[in-house]
Amino acid sequence: AIASGKYLRGVQFHPELASGTMKALIQARAERLEQEAQERGAAPGERVRDLLAGVRSTPSGRQILMNFLKYFA
């Protein structure tokens, strides 16, 4: 997580999405993700595989969202 000043907060993941939803989103965008990765020199098939491997549930997601609503909304 990152904070800047009194009101700016960010996280490097999507606490609003369940892991299954994130995997479905990656799979729905797989062709474009692979194309962009290959344009940057990645081997075919690596990008989506790596993204899917990195998706996991977090027990903190709900609390992060609740804290955002409590303190910033």
Side-chain angles (χ1 to χ4, degrees), residues 17-73:
L17 297 178
S19 59
T21 304
M22 180 55 83
K23 287 180 179 181
L25 182 60
I26 291 167
Q27 290 169 333
R29 296 179 176 177
E31 185 176 329
R32 181 72 179 150
L33 291 166
E34 286 294 341
Q35 179 185 359
E36 290 173 353
Q38 289 176 38
E39 288 170 1
R40 292 180 178 93
E46 283 185 352
R47 182 67 176 147
V48 170
R49 180 199 67 211
D50 291 348
L51 287 171
L52 290 171
V55 175
R56 52 194 171 278
S57 296
T58 176
S60 304
R62 179 173 170 74
Q63 189 61 51
I64 289 168
L65 292 173
M66 297 308 292
N67 287 346
F68 174 80
L69 291 173
K70 182 177 180 179
Y71 297 107
F72 301 103

